[in-house]
Amino acid sequence: MSTLQNSKNEGLPGTKSGQTRQIVHDLLACARVDESDIRVSLDRILIQLRRYFSLQQAVISRTDIDSCLFEYVSGQAVETRPGAQLPRSEVFCSKVVGGETPLWIPDLASSQYRDHPFRTKHGVECYIGGRLAVAGRVFGTLGLIGSSARSKSFDDDDELVLEVAISQISLLLSLDEARQRFHLAISGANVGIWDWDIRADALYWSPRHLEILGISDPDHQPSAEDYRRRVHPDDLNRIRDSQREHLDSHKPMDIEYRVKRGSEWVDIRARGQAVWDENGQAVRMAGSIEDITAQKLEREALAISEERYQLA
């Protein structure tokens, strides 16, 4: 199979009937559709690939030493579902992740793989496979599967489409893994995380943040006014001054104040850091809050004890 060098040098004007140009554009757009829902973007990419290659199924698989785990499945050719596993000996995962280039088999029956279990046991007659990498390591494979052979071979346009799809899927999987690590970190931490989109005036509070404030509803939608109602009235001006000083002079924000939790006042420590645009305008601010009530009581008790010792 020829390389992509000519296609890369000349761009897309020479692609077949504009189809490749359109699919590449669509694949690049899929990763930007909705960053908050990575699964939707991955599903759209798999659907685009099935349509372009006219194959019944597209799968994203995670590989380990013994098996191939199907993470995302679009369409039907092999009898499987997300979360199902097959032994590596029955699929092409090992050949794909161990190879330097994608695996293209338009007709398994007339290839060296005619007796492979993927054909004889699972009925696969056409296969395309590419290696996926996440954070610099092999994640698994992107596979396109057909239950009937393809009459024509694959060309440079097909290679280009697969290359773009692999890069976009790898990017989305890396983003998904980073977000999972972040959520695991904040769910296991003792501090609450907050994120303030200044331009949209939209707030995010982590589950621990909600817990610190005594909010049991996991779907609670926070707002600046909601937070102000919870802060002790005597501390509001200090908080505003601290935020203003940070936004104006870029000094670190680190402040202690009181918030209402149920029927009691608790002491918290809040830290924050803003992000500024090229014009010097703050566009986002994020940070943490920590319940320091116990520590503050200990400090006060220690101070009283020290004072009594000095008097004695």
Side-chain angles (χ1 to χ4, degrees):
M1 186 177 293
S2 60
T3 67
L4 290 175
Q5 191 62 44
N6 290 336
S7 296
K8 289 177 179 176
N9 290 340
E10 298 173 9
L12 296 178
T15 58
K16 47 192 176 188
S17 67
Q19 184 184 14
T20 305
R21 182 186 299 107
Q22 185 61 48
I23 185 68
V24 167
H25 176 273
D26 292 343
L27 290 172
L28 292 172
C30 277
R32 301 192 298 269
V33 170
D34 186 356
E35 291 187 357
S36 66
D37 194 341
I38 294 173
R39 179 174 293 276
V40 170
S41 296
L42 288 171
D43 285 343
R44 289 178 178 175
I45 290 176
L46 296 182
I47 290 171
Q48 293 281 356
L49 291 174
R50 285 170 47 212
R51 290 173 178 170
Y52 175 82
F53 287 106
S54 299
L55 294 174
Q56 292 97 332
Q57 193 171 49
V59 297
I60 296 173
S61 305
R62 184 192 297 266
T63 59
D64 59 26
I65 296 175
D66 301 315
S67 62
C68 179
L69 172 66
F70 295 95
E71 293 270 5
Y72 299 89
V73 178
S74 175
Q76 188 67 50
V78 174
E79 188 66 35
T80 189
R81 66 187 187 284
Q85 296 185 61
L86 286 177
R88 286 181 67 153
S89 60
E90 294 185 9
V91 291
F92 289 125
C93 287
S94 296
K95 298 184 181 300
V96 174
V97 299
E100 293 299 321
T101 59
L103 187 62
W104 302 84
I105 316 175
D107 184 359
L108 268 74
S110 19
S111 73
Q112 59 180 312
Y113 304 108
R114 60 181 176 273
D115 296 323
H116 194 282
F118 211 23
R119 176 174 181 266
T120 59
K121 187 173 181 178
H122 299 286
V124 176
E125 296 294 344
C126 177
Y127 178 79
I128 305 169
R131 182 172 58 191
L132 298 171
V134 173
R137 73 178 191 283
V138 174
F139 173 90
T141 63
L142 164 65
L144 294 156
I145 302 167
S147 55
S148 58
R150 181 182 170 109
S151 58
K152 58 180 180 179
S153 61
F154 299 100
D155 57 25
D156 284 359
D157 285 347
D158 298 330
E159 288 191 45
L160 176 60
V161 170
L162 185 67
E163 181 181 285
V164 172
I166 289 172
S167 67
Q168 295 302 96
I169 291 172
S170 296
L171 175 65
L172 288 167
L173 291 173
S174 297
L175 179 60
D176 187 44
E177 183 173 284
R179 288 184 175 179
Q180 289 182 31
R181 287 178 177 173
F182 171 75
H183 287 300
L184 283 173
I186 64 174
S187 62
N190 192 41
V191 298
I193 303 299
W194 54 271
D195 186 358
W196 177 27
D197 185 335
I198 297 175
R199 289 181 292 192
D201 196 23
L203 275 174
Y204 162 78
W205 292 346
S206 72
R208 176 56 181 157
H209 194 299
L210 295 173
E211 182 183 344
I212 290 174
L213 297 180
I215 300 172
S216 58
D217 180 8
D219 298 320
H220 178 79
Q221 296 297 318
S223 66
E225 182 58 34
D226 177 26
Y227 194 64
R228 281 191 288 267
R229 287 197 303 267
R230 299 174 187 274
V231 173
H232 196 288
D234 294 344
D235 296 338
L236 277 172
N237 288 334
R238 286 196 307 108
I239 296 173
R240 292 194 187 100
D241 292 342
S242 179
Q243 288 181 340
R244 189 178 300 111
E245 183 179 19
H246 174 66
L247 296 176
D248 292 342
S249 62
H250 298 198
K251 290 183 179 180
M253 178 181 164
D254 190 342
I255 185 173
E256 295 181 10
Y257 54 90
R258 295 159 291 179
V259 296
K260 193 69 170 291
R261 183 169 64 203
S263 60
E264 62 178 352
W265 292 102
V266 296
D267 294 284
I268 68 167
R269 181 182 184 183
R271 299 180 179 92
Q273 176 63 51
V275 176
W276 291 266
D277 64 15
E278 62 276 8
N279 299 318
Q281 297 295 315
V283 295
R284 199 177 200 94
M285 192 170 179
S288 65
I289 67 168
E290 180 182 3
D291 185 347
I292 60 168
T293 306
Q295 297 96 306
K296 194 163 184 179
L297 289 173
E298 289 176 3
R299 290 201 305 262
E300 291 173 354
L302 182 61
I304 293 173
S305 177
E306 180 67 21
E307 182 180 1
R308 288 175 178 173
Y309 174 77
Q310 293 296 336
L311 288 173

